[in-house]
Amino acid sequence: MKLHTTTTTMALLLLLLLASSSLQVAMAGSDFCDGKCKVRCSKASRHDDCLRYCGVCCASCNCVPSGTAGNKDECPCYRDMTTGQGTRKRPKCP
């Protein structure tokens, strides 16, 4: 019984360690994405929508093209993300 409790405790500690390191990586990326998306969306007419989609794309790609428009070839992952399927498929990232 003692071995089972020790094994369970070690597994829980390992899980907690992995979860906390993932959280730190996610939080570290948010400052990067927030800054890049703020620049990218600074001239957008729908500023809040631009920031939201840019943030989603940045979190997935770890990249945001420079400038306020265009330059998407700098970040192919960002460029190639789309919404919808079929004939309604559109670029997701601003």
Side-chain angles (χ1 to χ4, degrees):
M1 184 70 172
K2 178 113 174 141
L3 179 61
H4 178 68
T5 304
T6 304
T7 304
T8 303
T9 303
M10 291 299 289
L12 287 172
L13 286 173
L14 182 61
L15 183 61
L16 182 61
L17 178 65
L18 289 172
S20 68
S21 65
S22 296
L23 181 62
Q24 288 176 352
V25 169
M27 289 174 65
S30 67
D31 286 341
F32 170 79
C33 290
D34 288 348
K36 293 285 189 177
C37 288
K38 186 176 180 182
V39 171
R40 183 79 179 168
C41 297
S42 63
K43 295 183 179 178
S45 60
R46 298 178 69 183
H47 189 72
D48 291 342
D49 288 339
C50 182
L51 287 173
R52 180 180 15 203
Y53 289 115
C54 180
V56 168
C57 296
C58 179
S60 295
C61 298
N62 291 322
C63 181
V64 175
S66 62
T68 57
N71 304 321
K72 288 188 177 182
D73 288 335
E74 294 175 0
C75 186
C77 170
Y78 188 98
R79 175 194 65 210
D80 297 338
M81 285 185 118
T82 58
T83 61
Q85 297 173 353
T87 58
R88 299 203 53 159
K89 194 177 198 178
R90 294 186 180 147
K92 182 174 191 167
C93 306

